[in-house]
């Protein structure tokens, strides 16, 4: 009896590409290649070099399973279990958001504010995967961080990522809501955060990949999307050194109201920073001396 012929590697991942394209996924080619690499246990170069080889026997069922998950709307990063951010790979969990390229702007701005301080200290509120804090610590070898998250699962994920990247010894992990785990007299040079900023009613309108895969705890910013920022505006000043700063990601169209909110609570030099798409994305505000 003749065994069925295995498809070639190139044919296998292109078949998935075509299936994804047929349902309107714009990144079909990239998605199919990334899933094939994971299924076959190869990197991008190996996948390209072995285009004409028979697909690995054990890899084909894995690729099919990955493909079904992607066709059902699950993001590639969730299927792979990790996402690259600032040139580093971060493990994900159900308790964390998938790091996004726009958030790298928070790292850039915080780094500019910390790089000339001999031994800088910062707080990362709602750390999730830990991507902001870990990227900063990799760039600042003398820095130390306090990271907080309401979710114990997110903190476990962040701790694992910190160990993976060799910075866990410089992070103090604390569970709690915003500043609850921070002592009243603790101060730092900068506070960073990517808080939930989606209005509660708008969550149902989000893309399926976000709505059904990301934890709502990390998305829901209350009735107008600004509840976390009210807490941060009210309480951040007491935890900043003179001329310290806060660097916050926010949603498109929220910059003006947030700048006004932080000025009302004593912050100065509130500056809007746009992402690469030209959308207002990050607020930088200074606590006066």
């Amino acid at each position: 009896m003749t065994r069925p012929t295995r498809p070639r590697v190139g044919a296998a991942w292109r078949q998935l590409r075509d299936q994804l394209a047929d349902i309107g996924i714009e990144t079909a080619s990239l998605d199919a290649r990334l899933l094939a690499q994971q299924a076959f246990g190869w990197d991008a170069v190996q996948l390209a070099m072995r285009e004409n080889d028979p697909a690995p026997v054990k890899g084909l069922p894995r690729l099919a399973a990955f493909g079904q998950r992607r066709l059902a709307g699950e993001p590639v990063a969730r299927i792979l279990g990790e996402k690259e951010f600032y040139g580093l790979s971060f493990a994900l969990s159900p308790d964390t958001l998938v790091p996004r390229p726009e958030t790298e702007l928070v790292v850039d701005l915080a780094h500019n504010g910390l790089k000339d301080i001999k031994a800088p200290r910062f707080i990362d509120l709602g750390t999730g995967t830990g991507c902001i804090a870990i990227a900063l610590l990799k760039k600042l070898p003398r820095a130390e961080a306090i990271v907080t998250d309401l979710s114990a699962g997110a903190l476990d994920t962040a701790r694992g990522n910190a160990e993976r990247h060799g910075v866990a010894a410089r992070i103090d992990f604390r569970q709690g809501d915003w500043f609850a785990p921070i002592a009243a007299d603790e101060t730092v040079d900068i506070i960073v955060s990517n808080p939930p900023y989606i209005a509660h009613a708008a969550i149902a309108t989000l893309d399926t990949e976000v709505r059904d895969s990301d934890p709502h705890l990390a998305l829901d910013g209350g009735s107008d999307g600004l509840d976390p920022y009210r807490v941060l505006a009210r309480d951040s000043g007491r935890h900043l050194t003179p001329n310290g700063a806060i660097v916050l990601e926010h949603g498109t169209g929220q910059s003006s109201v947030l700048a006004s909110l932080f000025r009302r609570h004593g912050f100065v030099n509130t500056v809007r920073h746009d992402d690469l798409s030209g959308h207002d994305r990050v607020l930088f505000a200074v606590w006066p001396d």
Side-chain angles (χ1 to χ4, degrees):
M1 183 175 179
T2 304
R3 289 184 179 182
T5 304
R6 275 183 284 148
R8 304 289 180 179
V9 167
W13 76 258
R14 286 185 177 85
Q15 181 181 25
L16 175 56
R17 176 200 63 189
D18 293 344
Q19 291 173 326
L20 297 176
D22 286 344
I23 64 169
I25 294 179
E26 295 181 358
T27 55
S29 182
L30 175 61
D31 292 0
R33 283 185 280 113
L34 289 173
L35 294 175
Q37 288 168 215
Q38 182 81 349
F40 300 150
W42 299 339
D43 60 23
V45 173
Q46 289 173 306
L47 186 71
M49 294 282 291
R50 301 183 69 171
E51 278 272 305
N52 294 314
D53 291 355
V57 173
K58 293 182 179 180
L60 284 171
R62 285 167 53 85
L63 181 60
F66 291 160
Q68 289 304 311
R69 291 168 65 181
R70 185 70 187 102
L71 288 164
E74 189 173 352
V76 169
R78 293 286 180 194
I79 299 170
L80 299 179
E82 62 181 36
K83 177 70 173 178
E84 183 176 303
F85 176 87
Y86 223 91
L88 304 169
S89 183
F90 288 87
L92 307 177
S93 75
D95 303 288
T96 65
L97 293 176
V98 176
R100 300 185 309 159
E102 295 90 336
T103 306
E104 294 185 357
L105 181 57
V106 175
V107 177
D108 290 336
L109 294 170
H111 175 255
N112 287 340
L114 294 169
K115 64 184 180 181
D116 295 326
I117 300 173
K118 184 176 181 180
R121 298 181 73 244
F122 65 91
I123 295 172
D124 178 14
L125 298 170
T127 194
T129 61
C131 63
I132 295 174
I134 292 167
L136 276 170
L137 291 171
K138 293 292 285 185
K139 290 173 69 69
L140 298 163
R142 294 180 178 273
E144 294 183 349
I146 300 168
V147 305
T148 74
D149 206 289
L150 187 59
S151 165
L155 277 182
D156 286 343
T157 303
R159 187 179 289 106
N161 283 323
E163 291 169 352
R164 177 180 189 176
H165 293 297
V167 299
R170 292 190 282 137
I171 300 181
D172 185 352
F173 298 90
R174 303 183 191 179
Q175 185 180 0
D177 194 25
W178 303 124
F179 290 105
I182 309 297
D185 60 350
E186 283 185 287
T187 59
V188 294
D189 302 295
I190 273 184
I191 294 168
V192 296
S193 186
N194 178 16
Y197 53 72
I198 307 298
H200 179 77
I203 290 177
T205 70
L206 296 174
D207 289 344
T208 302
E209 292 187 17
V210 175
R211 185 185 68 237
D212 295 345
S213 299
D214 283 341
H216 285 201
L217 181 66
L219 296 173
D220 194 339
S223 61
D224 62 356
L226 301 178
D227 282 357
Y229 299 94
R230 295 185 178 95
V231 176
L232 300 183
R234 182 190 69 208
D235 295 341
S236 291
R238 71 188 68 171
H239 296 292
L240 285 169
T241 57
N243 291 314
I246 189 163
V247 187
L248 299 172
E249 182 168 342
H250 57 75
T252 300
Q254 294 177 334
S255 59
S256 295
V257 66
L258 290 179
S260 297
L261 173 64
F262 277 81
R263 284 195 295 268
R264 288 200 302 273
H265 284 276
F267 282 83
V268 297
N269 299 332
T270 55
V271 180
R272 160 186 168 160
H273 292 270
D274 294 350
D275 60 26
L276 292 176
S277 298
H279 300 303
D280 55 323
R281 182 60 58 192
V282 176
L283 175 73
F284 186 99
V286 175
W287 186 248
D289 57 16

